[in-house]
Amino acid sequence: MRPFHIVEGEEFLELMKEVAPVYKVPSSTHFKKLLCDKYDVMKREWSVKISKANDLCMTIDVWTETMNEKSFLGITTHFIEQASITNLNIATRELNTNHTAEYISNVFSDILNDWRIPLTKITCTVTDNKANMVAAIRQTLGESKHLPCFAHTINLIVQSSVNIASIQALISKVRNIVKWVKNSVINSDKLRKLQIEAGVPEGSTKKFIIDIKTRWNSLYYMLEHFLDMFKLASALTLDSTDSPEMLTGQEIEAIKKIVQLLKPFEFVTKEASGQNYVTLSKIIPMVSCLISEVRKFSTSIECVIQLQSKLMAECNKRFGLIEYNTYAAFGTILDPRFKNLHFQDANACGRAIQKLKSIIEVDVSTSSEEEDVAKDDFDFCSPSVKEKKGLQKVTKCPYIYPAQYLA
């Protein structure tokens, strides 16, 4: 993870002279060439894997490298290889102009062309909910092949919901205390000393966590850790004249209720972040359980009641039609753990089942004709059924649904 030019540094060369006096250290250009050669080899190997896959899914994201203020577009392709999920990062392309939908669409298309991936092979593409990303995929692949990221949607729901003045006031008080401790070596040492004096082993002492704006669950962890350590924080603030204002008993109780209310959102965020197992079929069940948990939550604290109401409204806004999403509905129905148990809308469930039946009927019908073709291949006395019907011989198992319908 060091820059190439480190091998030309004076101190590095002196070190190598001591370690291996007869070794001639190659130039940075040499290592760049080795890396480019390795990239070419890996690209050829990955291209073969991708070309053999029947269907592909893509995940696309744009992010900014804050140190250099450069933006990049990352693309990962997902497919089934020998009954296992395979994920390959095929591009990290620097973006040189405004992130318009047209520009992102052009860069995406250029990367697909570079890897010789036909658009017809792509089943679905997952992005965040930003308008330019959604529009870019629709321009490139069409509306039916786009799926918003579930975890990002949860992030938007919580971030929008906690944006209540009374809730923000509580969060700010916690954040100020956390910053006050973390930004001071003296306070951090005092915190660790207090825990050791309380009998906590040296290696098991805890630290405060500060939240990050782009990760809602970091806010949850900050509040959760603060509740575990607020007595220690109280002792620290009482022992200092420049400490921020400590929370009252009523405010601590409100924070406890906020953490309790947000816990289901933290659970589904973690559950939806798996890489080595399928998560699509869990979306409808998780949304159903999430809304149920928020709805039955009970409290008498006014600001938490407002938060609960806002969370319900945002969930209905973002997930109100989730059962009509073909990918999510098919995935849930075909998952033997869930089937149609978590559908709240009978029309949406019936619509999905009817679509599946029509797909199965077409697939079974096609497979029957293929069996006729296979039988006729051994009949050398009569004209080929293939010639009569104009069919192409295929080897797909008739009992496996086409991957594009399973997403």
Side-chain angles (χ1 to χ4, degrees), residues 175-402:
R175 188 183 292 120
N176 290 337
I177 294 172
V178 171
K179 284 183 177 179
W180 177 72
V181 175
K182 292 183 72 67
N183 293 339
S184 170
V185 175
I186 295 175
N187 293 331
S188 297
D189 288 341
K190 285 182 178 179
L191 178 65
R192 184 168 59 254
K193 185 178 179 181
L194 285 172
Q195 293 180 75
I196 293 173
E197 290 175 351
V200 179
E202 178 73 34
S204 302
T205 56
K206 294 181 180 180
K207 297 180 181 180
F208 284 118
I209 295 176
I210 192 71
D211 61 325
I212 304 169
K213 288 184 178 180
T214 55
R215 299 287 185 272
W216 88 264
N217 49 351
S218 65
L219 168 63
Y220 173 84
Y221 297 132
M222 180 181 75
L223 298 178
E224 187 181 47
H225 271 65
F226 181 80
L227 288 177
D228 288 340
M229 304 168 67
F230 79 89
K231 291 182 179 179
L232 297 174
S234 180
L236 281 177
T237 55
L238 287 173
D239 194 41
S240 177
T241 57
D242 65 341
S243 63
E245 181 184 0
M246 186 59 187
L247 284 76
T248 65
Q250 290 180 335
E251 289 172 332
I252 292 293
E253 187 62 29
I255 293 292
K256 288 180 180 179
K257 288 295 183 179
I258 291 172
V259 169
Q260 186 181 344
L261 180 58
L262 294 180
K263 188 172 182 60
F265 292 89
E266 187 269 342
F267 174 81
V268 298
T269 299
K270 287 174 63 176
E271 192 68 19
S273 301
Q275 184 174 344
N276 297 320
Y277 56 87
V278 174
T279 56
L280 179 66
S281 62
K282 295 183 177 183
I283 290 179
I284 290 176
M286 285 194 296
V287 168
S288 175
C289 294
L290 181 64
I291 292 176
S292 175
E293 287 295 312
V294 175
R295 184 182 290 117
K296 73 181 184 183
F297 181 81
S298 177
T299 181
S300 59
I301 302 174
E302 183 59 33
C303 65
V304 184
I305 293 174
Q306 292 178 18
L307 176 59
Q308 179 186 16
S309 177
K310 192 72 182 294
L311 286 168
M312 280 297 301
E314 286 293 322
C315 284
N316 290 328
K317 173 185 173 183
R318 300 281 181 179
F319 294 130
L321 297 176
I322 188 64
E323 294 179 8
Y324 283 91
N325 182 282
T326 302
Y327 298 113
F330 280 10
T332 304
I333 291 171
L334 292 174
D335 192 320
R337 297 171 297 178
F338 309 124
K339 299 183 180 179
N340 64 345
L341 293 177
H342 292 277
F343 279 84
Q344 304 300 314
D345 189 331
N347 290 332
C349 184
R351 173 179 175 270
I353 291 174
Q354 191 57 45
K355 276 190 175 183
L356 273 173
K357 285 182 177 180
S358 63
I359 292 168
I360 294 169
E361 288 172 358
V362 170
D363 201 36
V364 170
S365 175
T366 304
S367 65
S368 298
E369 293 175 339
E370 289 162 5
E371 288 177 4
D372 291 341
V373 170
K375 291 177 182 177
D376 190 70
D377 285 343
F378 298 95
D379 186 357
F380 300 102
C381 301
S382 62
S384 173
V385 176
K386 285 188 293 185
E387 295 176 2
K388 292 179 182 178
K389 299 185 178 181
L391 299 173
Q392 295 295 321
K393 184 177 181 180
V394 295
T395 57
K396 186 188 297 181
C397 173
Y399 303 106
I400 299 178
Y401 306 129

Side-chain angles (χ1 to χ4, degrees), residues 86-102:
T86 300
N87 312 291
L88 301 177
N89 175 245
I90 61 173
T92 303
R93 183 75 62 87
E94 184 177 352
L95 303 178
N96 300 313
T97 186
N98 293 336
H99 304 166
T100 63
E102 184 177 2

Side-chain angles (χ1 to χ4, degrees), residues 1-70:
M1 300 303 293
R2 302 296 297 167
F4 288 111
H5 62 72
I6 193 175
V7 298
E8 297 171 353
E10 183 179 344
E11 291 81 3
F12 182 81
L13 292 173
E14 288 182 5
L15 171 65
M16 293 305 297
K17 190 177 293 186
E18 291 290 332
V19 174
V22 298
Y23 178 68
K24 183 179 179 181
V25 180
S27 66
S28 60
T29 304
H30 173 75
F31 287 106
K32 289 178 184 177
K33 183 179 183 302
L34 288 180
L35 190 62
C36 289
D37 291 344
K38 185 170 184 177
Y39 173 82
D40 292 336
V41 171
M42 294 304 298
K43 185 179 179 182
R44 286 195 295 271
E45 182 180 325
W46 285 11
S47 293
V48 172
K49 289 176 176 283
I50 292 172
S51 65
K52 291 180 179 179
N54 293 325
D55 303 277
L56 305 173
C57 288
M58 301 284 181
T59 48
I60 303 178
D61 192 24
V62 173
W63 75 95
T64 300
E65 201 280 293
T66 53
M67 294 295 290
N68 297 314
E69 295 186 354
K70 291 183 178 180

Side-chain angles (χ1 to χ4, degrees), residues 132-157:
N132 59 341
M133 295 297 292
V134 175
I137 300 305
R138 288 177 177 177
Q139 287 182 25
T140 310
L141 300 171
E143 185 174 358
S144 62
K145 291 190 176 184
H146 176 258
L147 187 68
C149 175
F150 178 73
H152 184 257
T153 305
I154 292 291
N155 193 64
L156 293 177
I157 288 173

